[in-house]
Amino acid sequence: MTTLNFGPMLNAYPDSIGGDLKGLIQVLQEPQMANTFSSFYILPSVFNSDLDRGFSVLDYGLNELTATQSDLEQLKDLGLDLKLDFVLNHLSVLSPQFQDMIEKGHESKYKDFFINWNEFWQGYGEMTPQGYIQPDAMYLDKMFFRKPGLPILMVRFPDGSDQPYWNTFYNEVQYFRLVPSDVIRWTDLKYWAADVISQRVNQSLDAGIAPRDIDFTGFEAQQGQIVAYLEANRRYMGQMDLNLNSPLVWEFYEDTLAKLSSYGAKIVRLDAFAYAPKAPGEKNFMNEPETWELLDKIKQMATAHGLSVLPEIHTSYAEKSHEIIADKGYLTYDFFLPGLLIDALESGESEHLAAWAQDIIEKDMKVVNMLGCHDGIPLLDLKGILSEERIAELINVVVGRGGYVKNLHGKKNLYYQVNATYYSALGEDDQKMLLARALQLFMPGKPQVWYLDLFLGKNDHDAVARAGEGGHKEINRTNISLEHAQSMLSNPTVQAQLRLLQFRQTNPAFNSDANVTVEHNGKEMILSWKYEGHTAVLTADLAALSYHIVARDANGAIVAEF
């Protein structure tokens, strides 16, 4: 593993404050923010992307509406290295590679850059009348799909054939709406008839009816022409899975890592990596040993560019995936801390939080921890640490304070996240927020700080309503103005968080090689760091929602106390 900067890390979209990275940099340049952060995790709307607030990447060039190379140089001047995303499993349908395939079909050099469903499943199922192979049940039993039905997008090639391509995540097919003048040009219809069929077709498309299923009664002679026109000109949105068997994909991986390094990245977060390796008869999520072989190749490539990789995966504590990742020498996410802190602050009990801290220490796991983030609060990850009943109680607490639970495939409590700002999840209680931050900063690991947590962001239900179906995550993604951020720097709770962060950033006891210990006794928890004689000790009273911090230098003199 490359040398890791162990200081606090800011986490935000490039446009989270002031509309672009320049606004965020202006806040970081405020005197109150000095010596607060040493890293910055910029979410992937910093790249050219479309859907999912950046996680559907077109290419890894900078989106100049949100960030420029000059902005990245300013971050470097502020002493900040970067954590950036690399989405291993998929690219946007608007990527140059996919657009080349649509344009050139079988002649495209990128025809195999993505996964042709029928070629993948050849010999493992039966062809359907719709033109795709239905895999035999024995092969589907191991599969985990993120949406109902098979993960397929039918792609129209220039020769008129529809080719099924693997599409794990979102997709949408869009059809042009007809106007009478166009219909007149390529059919023998006159205006009134063209107007009637245009309205009928458009109403059907608006109702979600596929062109082939539209009622063409009275216009049977024109049906073939109209359907062919609609299908030949259909548009797509979505993210298409990459084919790891294609040499061009590995060239793309290499080029991307080089580019991320050139931007100033030191950590690369590997998004959706567990879905990338696929083989007939095996799982399509955490396939073994292919998943570990993929990570090993990516790690070797990343190390050559001075990068550490951080695989992103949500599984329960009981499944121990985090331990496997750590044992293999990777950084791993501490997705258990956010929920355990809420549990400790609500119950006043330190047992489970202390046990997790001891687990990290004993197993020497290198983790990145957090409170809130761009996704939700991962309470279901706690299975194996907390009882099912206790997890359900936590979900009810957060939902009762205005949070949302997304149901997976219509089933409750299968999705791993509850969506809320962390401040609102804590009941918008300043004492709880400060104690949660103090505990986070003393837990073993590199602390990551969501910008809305720092500025006491509350649940944004209006943003969820504006986003509509599937917009639950917008509750914790509110963009704030530069003026609001600057004004919040005078808020006592924000100032107290900054003081904690500056202490964590500058005190020499906080070192990646420090000796970290944990003690607990009912409501009380003590976390201690010691490195080359320097010590920092946090004593937290979970019932009283209070903490006391003492730091001493190598001579035993108190250098900080609050």
Side-chain angles (χ1 to χ4, degrees):
M1 185 184 297
T2 56
T3 302
L4 179 65
N5 169 355
F6 204 58
M9 174 164 51
L10 180 64
N11 177 201
Y13 291 99
D15 58 343
S16 287
I17 298 177
D20 57 23
L21 199 52
K22 290 180 176 61
L24 218 157
I25 290 170
Q26 195 167 333
V27 172
L28 290 170
Q29 291 172 332
E30 294 287 343
Q32 301 95 315
M33 297 291 290
N35 300 314
T36 303
F37 297 105
S38 60
S39 302
F40 184 8
Y41 172 24
I42 313 177
L43 283 149
S45 53
V46 73
F47 308 128
N48 294 314
S49 55
D50 46 34
L51 303 169
D52 197 16
R53 195 88 185 253
F55 282 94
S56 180
V57 178
L58 279 68
D59 63 58
Y60 286 87
L62 293 178
N63 171 7
E64 300 255 333
L65 293 176
T66 62
T68 66
Q69 188 65 46
S70 175
D71 296 332
L72 300 186
E73 292 299 323
Q74 280 192 278
L75 292 174
K76 184 177 179 180
D77 292 341
L78 286 169
L80 298 174
D81 60 34
L82 302 181
K83 171 182 159 188
L84 297 173
D85 277 287
F86 185 14
V87 186
L88 290 185
N89 181 68
H90 51 263
L91 270 179
S92 167
V93 297
L94 297 181
S95 64
Q97 294 91 337
F98 195 80
Q99 290 298 306
D100 187 270
M101 187 180 74
I102 291 175
E103 178 186 351
K104 300 174 183 175
H106 296 289
E107 303 305 314
S108 171
K109 65 181 287 189
Y110 296 107
K111 177 175 68 74
D112 298 320
F113 192 86
F114 305 94
I115 302 173
N116 185 298
W117 179 270
N118 286 350
E119 292 179 5
F120 182 94
W121 288 108
Q122 184 67 41
Y124 297 94
E126 298 294 329
M127 183 66 70
T128 66
Q130 291 77 27
Y132 62 82
I133 290 176
Q134 174 69 42
D136 296 336
M138 62 181 292
Y139 301 114
L140 290 181
D141 285 345
K142 295 183 178 181
M143 310 296 276
F144 171 73
F145 296 146
R146 291 289 300 249
K147 55 192 177 184
L150 296 177
I152 295 172
L153 177 67
M154 300 300 292
V155 180
R156 175 60 61 98
F157 272 22
D159 62 4
S161 65
D162 284 327
Q163 302 292 326
Y165 275 83
W166 199 308
N167 164 246
T168 292
F169 294 91
Y170 175 86
N171 79 64
E172 179 183 346
V173 179
Q174 302 170 340
Y175 292 96
F176 283 105
R177 279 9 183 200
L178 299 181
V179 296
S181 58
D182 286 339
V183 175
I184 289 169
R185 282 191 297 107
W186 38 265
T187 70
D188 57 359
L189 296 177
K190 303 303 180 185
Y191 178 80
W192 293 111
D195 186 43
V196 168
I197 192 58
S198 294
Q199 291 187 47
R200 187 188 301 177
V201 167
N202 293 342
Q203 289 170 1
S204 298
L205 293 174
D206 291 341
I209 300 173
R212 66 177 180 275
D213 297 325
I214 293 173
D215 179 10
F216 279 91
T217 302
F219 296 93
E220 290 84 355
Q222 291 80 29
Q223 179 175 359
Q225 290 173 286
I226 293 175
V227 170
Y229 171 82
L230 292 171
E231 295 292 5
N233 291 281
R234 66 189 179 210
R235 296 167 294 183
Y236 311 95
M237 293 292 287
Q239 301 121 304
M240 305 307 298
D241 291 41
L242 304 184
N243 179 10
L244 297 187
N245 294 319
S246 168
L248 291 178
V249 167
W250 288 95
E251 289 181 20
F252 167 73
Y253 282 174
E254 176 66 37
D255 292 345
T256 299
L257 289 168
K259 184 167 289 187
L260 298 182
S261 178
S262 75
Y263 291 152
K266 292 300 179 184
I267 299 176
V268 173
R269 175 184 180 272
L270 302 180
D271 184 78
F273 78 92
Y275 289 95
K278 303 177 179 71
E282 300 296 336
K283 297 184 295 183
N284 64 318
F285 179 80
M286 286 296 287
N287 188 9
E288 298 183 272
E290 287 83 357
T291 297
W292 308 118
E293 292 171 355
L294 168 65
L295 283 182
D296 189 52
K297 289 181 182 178
I298 294 295
K299 180 182 178 181
Q300 291 180 37
M301 295 164 66
T303 300
H305 294 288
L307 300 168
S308 293
V309 295
L310 174 57
E312 189 270 344
I313 184 173
H314 280 280
T315 58
S316 72
Y317 177 87
E319 294 174 83
K320 303 295 184 184
S321 296
H322 62 285
E323 289 188 15
I324 298 172
I325 290 172
D327 286 344
K328 292 180 179 292
Y330 298 100
L331 277 171
T332 187
Y333 269 115
D334 179 357
F335 283 131
F336 311 111
L337 181 62
L340 287 174
L341 278 172
I342 297 174
D343 175 73
L345 296 178
E346 293 302 314
S347 68
E349 299 172 4
S350 62
E351 176 186 356
H352 297 102
L353 181 60
W356 170 234
Q358 192 63 42
D359 210 14
I360 300 172
I361 295 165
E362 289 179 354
K363 294 168 182 172
D364 194 27
M365 290 183 277
K366 305 302 181 186
V367 304
V368 171
N369 64 40
M370 71 201 72
L371 302 182
C373 68
H374 70 282
D375 276 341
I377 301 170
L379 298 181
L380 292 185
D381 291 42
L382 298 177
K383 292 180 178 180
I385 301 179
L386 301 182
S387 68
E388 298 274 355
E389 293 76 19
R390 196 153 179 164
I391 293 170
E393 289 173 7
L394 286 179
I395 293 173
N396 289 336
V397 165
V398 179
V399 171
R401 292 170 176 167
Y404 291 121
V405 176
K406 178 187 175 185
N407 300 327
L408 188 63
H409 297 182
K411 297 180 181 179
K412 291 183 179 297
N413 288 354
L414 282 182
Y415 203 68
Y416 53 77
Q417 299 166 342
V418 181
N419 298 102
T421 71
Y422 209 78
Y423 185 56
S424 290
L426 294 175
E428 297 171 11
D429 184 310
D430 287 6
Q431 277 186 277
K432 288 182 179 178
M433 188 70 216
L434 287 177
L435 182 52
R437 179 68 71 209
L439 284 163
Q440 179 205 5
L441 297 179
F442 271 80
M443 285 289 289
K446 181 178 175 68
Q448 178 177 297
V449 178
W450 185 234
Y451 73 104
L452 280 182
D453 293 349
L454 181 61
F455 293 110
L456 308 181
K458 299 179 181 180
N459 286 340
D460 192 342
H461 295 112
D462 289 341
V464 175
R466 287 192 300 270
E469 180 70 23
H472 51 287
K473 293 182 180 181
E474 297 306 311
I475 198 171
N476 189 30
R477 296 179 174 182
T478 308
N479 284 355
I480 59 178
S481 68
L482 177 60
E483 294 73 22
H484 177 71
Q486 289 171 326
S487 69
M488 287 297 289
L489 292 176
S490 62
N491 179 286
T493 304
V494 173
Q495 290 179 338
Q497 285 193 74
L498 291 175
R499 185 182 181 189
L500 286 167
L501 285 161
Q502 288 157 353
F503 174 71
R504 173 66 173 76
Q505 166 76 352
T506 59
N507 190 277
F510 296 101
N511 187 282
S512 59
D513 294 323
N515 178 41
V516 185
T517 60
V518 57
E519 302 172 54
H520 74 98
N521 181 18
K523 66 179 183 178
E524 190 174 78
M525 182 169 170
I526 302 172
L527 285 160
S528 303
W529 289 65
K530 185 173 184 179
Y531 181 71
E532 294 185 346
H534 298 272
T535 62
V537 181
L538 167 73
T539 303
D541 187 325
L542 296 170
L545 300 177
S546 63
Y547 62 86
H548 181 225
I549 294 171
V550 178
R552 299 178 184 272
D553 64 17
N555 296 316
I558 294 176
V559 293
E561 184 173 12
F562 54 98

